Amino acid sequence: MRRKFIAELQVRDNVDEIYRVADKQVRSNRQGNDYLLLQLMDRSGQVSGLRWNSGQSAYESFQKGDFLRVMGTAQLHNGAMQLIVQDFEPVPRTKVNLADFERTSAAEMDQLLAELRTKLSSLSEPHLAQLAQSYLSDEEFIARLRRAPAGIKTHHAYEGGLLEHVLQLLRVADSIAPLYPQINRDLLLMGVFLHDIGKLDELVFEGEMVYSDPGQLLGHLVQGTMELDRRIARISADTRAEFPEALKWRLQHMIVSHHGQLEHGSPKVPMTLEAIALAYLDDLDAKINQASDLIESDRNTDSNWTNFHPTLNRKLYKPSLE
Amino acid sequence: MRRKFIAELQVRDNVDEIYRVADKQVRSNRQGNDYLLLQLMDRSGQVSGLRWNSGQSAYESFQKGDFLRVMGTAQLHNGAMQLIVQDFEPVPRTKVNLADFERTSAAEMDQLLAELRTKLSSLSEPHLAQLAQSYLSDEEFIARLRRAPAGIKTHHAYEGGLLEHVLQLLRVADSIAPLYPQINRDLLLMGVFLHDIGKLDELVFEGEMVYSDPGQLLGHLVQGTMELDRRIARISADTRAEFPEALKWRLQHMIVSHHGQLEHGSPKVPMTLEAIALAYLDDLDAKINQASDLIESDRNTDSNWTNFHPTLNRKLYKPSLE
Amino acid sequence: MRRKFIAELQVRDNVDEIYRVADKQVRSNRQGNDYLLLQLMDRSGQVSGLRWNSGQSAYESFQKGDFLRVMGTAQLHNGAMQLIVQDFEPVPRTKVNLADFERTSAAEMDQLLAELRTKLSSLSEPHLAQLAQSYLSDEEFIARLRRAPAGIKTHHAYEGGLLEHVLQLLRVADSIAPLYPQINRDLLLMGVFLHDIGKLDELVFEGEMVYSDPGQLLGHLVQGTMELDRRIARISADTRAEFPEALKWRLQHMIVSHHGQLEHGSPKVPMTLEAIALAYLDDLDAKINQASDLIESDRNTDSNWTNFHPTLNRKLYKPSLE
Amino acid sequence: MRRKFIAELQVRDNVDEIYRVADKQVRSNRQGNDYLLLQLMDRSGQVSGLRWNSGQSAYESFQKGDFLRVMGTAQLHNGAMQLIVQDFEPVPRTKVNLADFERTSAAEMDQLLAELRTKLSSLSEPHLAQLAQSYLSDEEFIARLRRAPAGIKTHHAYEGGLLEHVLQLLRVADSIAPLYPQINRDLLLMGVFLHDIGKLDELVFEGEMVYSDPGQLLGHLVQGTMELDRRIARISADTRAEFPEALKWRLQHMIVSHHGQLEHGSPKVPMTLEAIALAYLDDLDAKINQASDLIESDRNTDSNWTNFHPTLNRKLYKPSLE
Amino acid sequence: MRRKFIAELQVRDNVDEIYRVADKQVRSNRQGNDYLLLQLMDRSGQVSGLRWNSGQSAYESFQKGDFLRVMGTAQLHNGAMQLIVQDFEPVPRTKVNLADFERTSAAEMDQLLAELRTKLSSLSEPHLAQLAQSYLSDEEFIARLRRAPAGIKTHHAYEGGLLEHVLQLLRVADSIAPLYPQINRDLLLMGVFLHDIGKLDELVFEGEMVYSDPGQLLGHLVQGTMELDRRIARISADTRAEFPEALKWRLQHMIVSHHGQLEHGSPKVPMTLEAIALAYLDDLDAKINQASDLIESDRNTDSNWTNFHPTLNRKLYKPSLE
Amino acid sequence: MRRKFIAELQVRDNVDEIYRVADKQVRSNRQGNDYLLLQLMDRSGQVSGLRWNSGQSAYESFQKGDFLRVMGTAQLHNGAMQLIVQDFEPVPRTKVNLADFERTSAAEMDQLLAELRTKLSSLSEPHLAQLAQSYLSDEEFIARLRRAPAGIKTHHAYEGGLLEHVLQLLRVADSIAPLYPQINRDLLLMGVFLHDIGKLDELVFEGEMVYSDPGQLLGHLVQGTMELDRRIARISADTRAEFPEALKWRLQHMIVSHHGQLEHGSPKVPMTLEAIALAYLDDLDAKINQASDLIESDRNTDSNWTNFHPTLNRKLYKPSLE
């Protein structure tokens, strides 16, 4: 039988399917009864799963990152789909069709990486080209980039999500750059490539998907800046050639300022044209993605309006133009 | 002798040149002496002109919009160029080379309008195409669009500036639209075309460049929404066909929300994908233009940094990547 | 037996009464069981009704605006009364005493309209008098005004509420005007009459009470401004006399600015004396009404203090001065 | 010759007139030359006076509160009138027509006080009536109230200004009270009478008009609350009857909360209906006064708009409705 | 059997113990069933107690401040411990070991008071020393100080908490004073002693612990300022010697400004060195206490991070440095 | 003759003294005349110097960091002392008594460094002790620390200011630590030592005192974090022993969060007890220093109040307690 993906769940669907555990918690309700709150995922998305009257021993019967066969029913709660889990059992990884859990197949991922290489091979400034090459030829880096999500509870919260996000932003930057000749295309593209590189350290994405301790203490802006510091030191040591200091600072400034405002966690606001453009494009892409997700995931057919979205701080008008 | 344009003025230049009066005021300094404060312009930009010890009678000897032959010296004051005017005399319009005062020549303007027609002729939704056609075939509208600036003290504060701004935004929207298939390209482009249409009513741009009374009382967002209301009523009356109400509301919503936030004067935040995209692209374009202008107009060679810019709320780093 | 009005409900009352459905939703609780959440109303007010273990088919057995016979029990939840519905059945409109659902009787409404006509007939400025007359003699307008609420979840959320609110504000404005001779009484009164006129378009109040789509996309400030634009165009066409433009802008400015601040959704702050006075009086009236409602509806006799009110952002001290 | 009052000064007027010194300072300009900056007043208003090239010895030749014969010229500086003082000489109080310096004549003041007595004698709650009586029969209090301004640099910054402000607010409160039966008229009127009573301690208004040290350290809200505390203790001691505690707290709460918001210096927000009404009416009166003053004092005939006003944070539209 | 203190409760503990009722409420859940929500306390802390299916009659069977024998089970709900109460019965005060309910024993309290006396006896400025003496020799004041908490739902929310807080702040002030010679140690210490003295009036702490009506209407900043006003008047009357006015204002300013900012309820910001130091030290002490409490009370061993804390607006990293 | 130090200047003093140039600019006044604006300093402080009618050639006759013999007169301008420079001439470094330009003599600096070594030698945690030792034995680091200011226009804007600031904060932290046993003293002291270490890179302090380019692009929080990253890498490489990662993150977190809030430029808020304490103590020390400086430097004897201070956003009350 064809698999029921999470994105396809409809209210009142009865489910008997394998999902992966992104997160798990034991909680008590006000009546004092324990229940399990699971975050279940497959390649199509995430859904909360609730197992009532179930406590510590059930909790300990599997790990984050494990696969569970889940029997239950789909419900809408506060506008979001959730699964009421009647029963579940762990399933060994070997019995699982792993392709169901990878948003992007290995072949698609290869294609994305190829596009990334093409974009970065177009850089003409020699130091930037060398820096890009250092990353692209670093196998461990590439392996981690294939697996990294772009966030925990956001649009790109799945393996490969970071690569997808960076590539989409490279495309947008590349399409806009010719319209603003005062912007240096090489710098803008390299800043786009590097801006979220600290997420490889900020997030844990082997099995579970959570923030790491240093990620919470320092954040991917500071972590990315340090990573670039070390990378450039290594290149200089390897090549015995000085990487221009001012160029390093510009790139680090783009990483550090890409949240655009102090209140959003950037210790410096963007102060170069390329840093300003990067911060805007990153925000534009995030907002359009959040808004499309909100519209797509809204399953209430009674109204032309989505529910109120706390981060966007608004409702959205759903009808598309026929 | 070749004309000295405002954008070419250097500190200590002696000037004997014809400029146009964008604004004029009599002021008194603290010592109680009157002086004239002029805003002088040509096609390359604006500069303040100060005529010391000169009062009401000098003030009344010419009008806003007139041309003056100005003799004086260029100075830097708080990082901005200004002209100390030793003497001046009105010059009749007939003695002036009007091409020196048009940022865009009639031929260039024709080219911009041609590009605008091409962009809008690509709309496939029939009502939007009809609406665009109604504007493009309205000779009075086109005549006003050729003359309208996009603002009073901003990047596009010159005749034709509005058209340039709208066209640049159409280009950006058009280049990005294919990367976001969830956005309706027709709606986005039409929203871009219409978003600042209220500026034709908000600004006075015959001779002087100031805000009109209704412009200050209502603003171009509300004025543009009413203009579209009347235009669509006229089309419906002319064609005896109903323009779809929901489509009208969507377009009006894009006009009304394009400042993005209540605090920036939009009575509604953007609540459709196209309105969100429009608000971001308009802001991106404005910020990149403001930032480039700040860097270009900074004439202090001692420092890698511009002066602090109150609207951008920051200094900018000037060196471009060699 | 005498009817039990919503405003008279006491904790633990058993109810068997007819109410009207202002809104209805199916929801699921965390245990995955469906329930109906109803907004029930009569002329005395609104109350939430909860029908546990009841889902889609019950939901579809009646429409918004219908009348239901409701059997249930009154409860206090988070300081607000609610009805736990044990059972319900639709009741045809013909079996209902409609007077129970009209806050204001037809006779009282006639009286309010008469007072409105008196107030507006006192305007001495001829164009304002003519404009007022145009509205007062428009039967469709008057018919809609009789039915319009002043909001969805506020003090005047009932048929005729808008008229009551406008009339109360006219009384306040009229009583204060003589104390501030610098304020033009005609303008102030006309601004009061027009300020919420866009609510006739912003709200849907036939049966259900919700925001319309254009209401959410544009808002009653912009809708009211456009309505006045069309009304004055019609008057000018009918009378072949120009309505003074500056007077139109002043009135539109009062509509557009009556929320007082950009953050509250006014695209312009009040910039005339009359606009300033209107915004203050509207806010004063709203706050006193909200505060009295909060004190009156608080049924907790243990404390001198109401519950915390999120919009007012405070608790209130309840005892009145003996 | 008829006196030239400050409110009548026109640009370029030559002045030889007696004014009173509200404040005086020696300053140096950037060239390192000393000058005197005076605040001159008569009953019509205040104006800055500048005496160039004049220093410490001139400064010490008179006191704040003294009368000076001033010879000079009127100028407009940044939209405000100022006097360039060519010469001045102290004039003994006995040579001055004191009526020129009292905004309100003794007879008018008697009339205002009579109106105050009438308003307060209408209070029906016996303790409030007794409290009012205690103030009205306190000759020292009445004497200070006759002289007190309502502020230093505001609408009512002249002797008797506090009484005028309190009386105007009593009139407004009295006219609105019947329209809001849920508001206790006695409490509202008594709150209005008491709300600024701390200004008698906050301001110094014998000769000079400045803030007192305790006024700056504590503010009139806290000072007024303490004053009421002592007054009621005295009444209780005198009458050997307890003033109801809850009534005292209500009145003190109205004093303490009348700035409406924490950010405006009220340590508590208004939490009774009367306190809410008081805060709104006080703010309404202040804003209408500030706005009328701005329009009246604007002497620029070129524009329909006043200068930008930093406190109101806007420009105002000046034309009144013909 | 050894008593199970609230601070020692573990998830799933079965409890049969005597606790004191700090607060009680009847609530209904969404299903329409009543339950009791209790705040139970002993000397180790507070915990919420929930008695399901229990209503008005149970509610009336005991008073706030009473002692209850409680049988139930401990649960974790949203990261906080709570007791599900199966049964309870009132216990007369005479059957209770009162030492279990006093955080600080009488002997310890004597010791704290002795330390307070020592600190204050070190003041060298004679009027401050006399003022301190007036408080320390006032038996009723001392008796109330022994019982007063420092707040309702905060770190020092238990009898004697105010004394502990004031004493800790005296220690901190005393240890820092020598490092800042520009600060007057006597003033700083006296300000610390007085800053929260209004809490004796703001809070009710006989049996129940709640805010008093005047406490909510005026707040401890204003109440403390009035208390000092009366105290100094009494000292002056008793000693027939004037207490220096400026010294009184300084102390009152320290009370009034000790929340540091208008938004935090101080009607004046600190404007003396001692007031600035007081506000900072009070805030530092509060934040370190809140943060330690959050870390200590977090019982989730799965994570290095506490739950998100709404007042601190952050999570905290729990591991201590080994 | 005894030297006239900048801190000793009185209004109208005639000066003939050697000062050092911290900064220099050519500006034009509104009349179009050039002047030099100098920042002059000696060990007692800074003062602005104005040389009227002096332009580019005078500007180029000396460098930032040079010593000038200055002849001129002291003036008060907007409450700040300034020097009107009549004449000046460069003085070779060899002719200058360098002790006049060092706030702290070499001997005093040795003493401060000795105190620093003592404080840090008291650390008991071995890795922290080793890390401290690495800095203290790094001669280049110590040499730079001796010269570094703590800021450009602040309390510690002089050579050695950073050391003084760090040492004072170490003293405060050390005196408070015993009162808060939940705080780890070693971590707190090490965090204090490291928190501003990035200022060695953020500031340029050889001759001139300005922000470096990387300082403006990245800021001392990010620069300090990277410096610690490199230092620990070096220690690990030298000792072939791993420095505990979690300990490094904690220290970096303290650096990164020490501005306390996102709006103040910290990309993360403090999330450990020690980071919270550090941010508070740094702010307390800064505010007390700013406030004392404001009071000390105010030379207006007419008023008990300083001028309004824009950063502190208030005036201060100057009298100290006699």
Side-chain angles (χ1 to χ4, degrees), chain D residues 24-28 32-38 51-62 88, chain F residues 11-12 75:
Chain D
K24 61 170 186 167
Q25 285 184 286
V26 195
R27 295 202 175 174
S28 300
N33 300 318
D34 286 348
Y35 66 92
L36 292 190
L37 172 59
L38 309 175
R51 176 76 177 98
W52 297 107
N53 301 310
S54 192
Q56 201 60 29
S57 65
Y59 174 82
E60 285 166 7
S61 66
F62 60 94
F88 69 85
Chain F
V11 173
R12 262 168 291 277
Q75 303 283 356

Side-chain angles (χ1 to χ4, degrees), chain A residues 168 175-176 179-180 182 247 250 270-271 273 280 283-285 287 291-292 314-317 319-321, chain B residues 168 175-176 179-180 182 247 250 270-271 273 280 283-285 287 291-292 314-317 319-321:
Chain A
Q168 170 75 344
S175 84
I176 277 183
L179 298 171
Y180 292 102
Q182 64 271 55
L247 184 56
R250 274 175 185 281
M271 294 183 287
L273 290 182
Y280 262 94
D283 202 10
L284 165 72
D285 188 66
K287 287 298 183 305
S292 330
R314 69 195 71 176
K315 306 161 106 178
L316 294 180
Y317 183 63
S320 56
L321 189 62
Chain B
Q168 170 75 345
S175 83
I176 276 183
L179 298 171
Y180 293 102
Q182 65 269 55
L247 185 56
R250 273 175 185 281
M271 294 184 288
L273 290 182
Y280 262 94
D283 202 10
L284 166 72
D285 188 66
K287 287 299 182 306
S292 330
R314 69 195 70 175
K315 305 161 107 177
L316 295 180
Y317 183 64
S320 56
L321 190 61

Side-chain angles (χ1 to χ4, degrees), chain A residues 45-65:
Chain A
Q46 277 206 7
V47 70
S48 295
L50 288 143
R51 176 75 178 100
W52 297 107
N53 301 309
S54 192
Q56 201 61 29
S57 66
Y59 174 81
E60 286 165 6
S61 66
F62 59 93
Q63 301 302 319
K64 288 184 198 172

Side-chain angles (χ1 to χ4, degrees), chain B residues 268, chain C residues 198-204 210-212 214-216 219-220 223:
Chain B
K268 290 284 178 181
Chain C
K199 288 201 171 171
L200 296 175
D201 297 320
E202 189 189 34
L203 303 176
V204 173
V210 295
Y211 283 92
S212 67
Q216 297 201 71
H220 70 275
Q223 290 175 302

Side-chain angles (χ1 to χ4, degrees), chain D residues 108-122:
Chain D
E108 288 165 328
M109 195 68 87
D110 288 343
Q111 212 172 333
L112 294 176
L113 277 168
E115 188 179 348
L116 177 70
R117 287 177 197 278
T118 308
K119 286 277 180 217
L120 293 182
S121 70
S122 73

Side-chain angles (χ1 to χ4, degrees), chain D residues 278-321:
Chain D
L278 168 59
Y280 262 94
L281 296 180
D282 191 32
D283 202 11
L284 166 72
D285 188 66
K287 286 300 183 302
I288 292 181
N289 281 324
Q290 282 174 26
S292 331
D293 284 3
L294 179 58
I295 289 173
E296 274 169 42
S297 68
D298 190 287
R299 309 188 194 190
N300 179 357
T301 56
D302 268 14
S303 164
N304 280 338
W305 296 85
T306 66
N307 283 328
F308 183 85
H309 187 283
T311 311
L312 291 172
N313 196 27
R314 71 195 70 173
K315 305 160 107 179
L316 295 179
Y317 183 64
K318 292 186 295 182
S320 56
L321 190 61

